[in-house]
Amino acid sequence: MGNLEGKVAVISGAGQGVGQGIALALASEGASVAVLGRTAAKLEATCELLRERGVRAEPFVLDVLDTDRIPSVVEEIAERFGSIDILVNNAYSGCYGPLLSLSDEQFRKGFDSGPFAAFAFMKAAHPYLKLNGGGSVINLVTSAMVRWDLSTYGPYAAAKSALRSLTRAAANEWGRDGIRVNAIAPHATSPAYAGWQAAHPEEAAAFCASIPLGYVGDCEQDIGRAVAMLCGPDARYLTGATVPLDGGQANFG
């Protein structure tokens, strides 16, 4: 019996990469999973992997930029699964680049898909999370927030910094409801990382060499397993924290 047996997790951006890795790790601890994302085929592929681990998994097609739909999707999940115990805000669709190269629309997109979407999910899920002794929220941020040289990372770090502040505020306000809210800042071998590595091989090599543990984390074994721990009873007194899942490399550049 896993630490999350009987729990229901909602994970955005779970069709691939870090979101999928987190879903697999939570499933291995017994959690049922609502798999959210933009591409139906990817969601169903993730659901099949989760079902192979003996848990219930259902896909929900949703672009988190459509924040008006988020409350109704959360309500549908709660009705179909009977509860919501874990919320993982992983999906993000933002931009990178020098500040003067970006439009207002590009800059705004990172906030809409990041803190605004997470805010909508958290508010909608709150009534369900506080039931059954309380639930857990995990928001994904980035170590780019603490880089000294933020060249080309400004919009990304700005949106994620807002999400980090939102995480702490919710932890402070919702602790009495039994809800724990934490953030993680992962380095992971996601499709986004693979694309960046291919486009910037020299920078990627220097980045990897700067990680004390010597490698970029695996989406399930390094990131997902840590999230499973954070959502479980062993971390019951941890809330409002930002955990750097980066192999010790928290300030590159």
Side-chain angles (χ1 to χ4, degrees), residues 72-246:
S72 63
V73 171
V74 169
E75 183 177 357
E76 181 183 358
I77 292 168
E79 289 177 355
R80 290 170 65 173
F81 282 84
S83 67
I84 295 174
D85 306 286
I86 297 166
L87 170 65
V88 179
N89 286 304
N90 166 65
Y92 173 79
S93 181
C95 61
Y96 307 86
L99 296 177
L100 294 179
S101 71
L102 304 174
S103 67
D104 291 352
E105 181 180 2
Q106 288 174 307
F107 185 78
R108 190 176 296 112
K109 186 178 180 181
F111 281 82
D112 288 340
S113 65
F116 278 101
F119 184 51
F121 271 113
M122 290 163 66
K123 286 195 301 178
H126 178 273
Y128 308 106
L129 291 168
K130 72 178 184 179
L131 298 175
N132 303 319
S136 180
V137 179
I138 303 293
N139 293 324
L140 272 76
V141 294
T142 175
S143 63
M145 299 181 305
V146 295
R147 289 174 65 114
W148 284 113
D149 181 359
L150 271 173
S151 301
T152 74
Y153 290 93
Y156 177 53
K160 293 295 188 176
S161 293
L163 183 54
R164 182 185 188 183
S165 296
L166 179 64
T167 299
R168 184 70 187 185
N172 295 153
E173 295 178 15
W174 296 356
R176 286 178 174 80
D177 295 324
I179 300 171
R180 297 185 300 106
V181 189
N182 292 294
I184 62 168
H187 290 339
T189 53
S190 64
Y193 174 81
W196 175 74
Q197 184 181 39
H200 307 279
E202 293 183 2
E203 185 179 357
F207 172 78
C208 190
S210 73
I211 299 174
L213 290 184
Y215 70 99
V216 178
D218 178 80
C219 291
E220 178 183 357
Q221 296 303 319
D222 296 309
I223 311 306
R225 293 300 307 166
V227 171
M229 181 274 292
L230 290 171
C231 294
D234 289 342
R236 69 177 193 170
Y237 199 55
L238 182 64
T239 192
T242 298
V243 180
L245 299 178
D246 56 14

Side-chain angles (χ1 to χ4, degrees), residues 1-7 25-32 53-55:
M1 182 174 178
N3 285 334
L4 303 177
E5 196 79 28
K7 303 295 186 181
L26 298 188
S28 292
E29 290 297 327
S32 299
R53 301 196 182 191
V55 303

